[in-house]
Amino acid sequence: MSLISVGSPILTINHGSTFMVTDLNGHIHHEGHQGIFCKVMWKLSSKVGSLGV
């Protein structure tokens, strides 16, 4: 299932675990938060202890 949404001033297209963020003309600019992305979910084990940070 795909979802298209328009915000100010971006266009977002979602399809499954992949999504694209562009300007309202469909162009991707290197500055800012635009591009093609894949949603990644990391599952950490409940047995992981402190990272010592």
Side-chain angles (χ1 to χ4, degrees), residues 11-43:
L11 172 69
T12 304
I13 301 173
N14 295 307
H15 181 74
S17 62
T18 305
F19 63 101
M20 180 171 64
V21 179
T22 70
D23 68 12
L24 295 179
N25 294 316
H27 299 127
I28 297 173
H29 301 278
H30 68 274
E31 68 277 346
H33 302 286
Q34 297 177 351
I36 300 172
F37 306 94
C38 181
K39 297 178 187 174
V40 178
M41 182 181 294
W42 293 91
K43 181 177 179 182

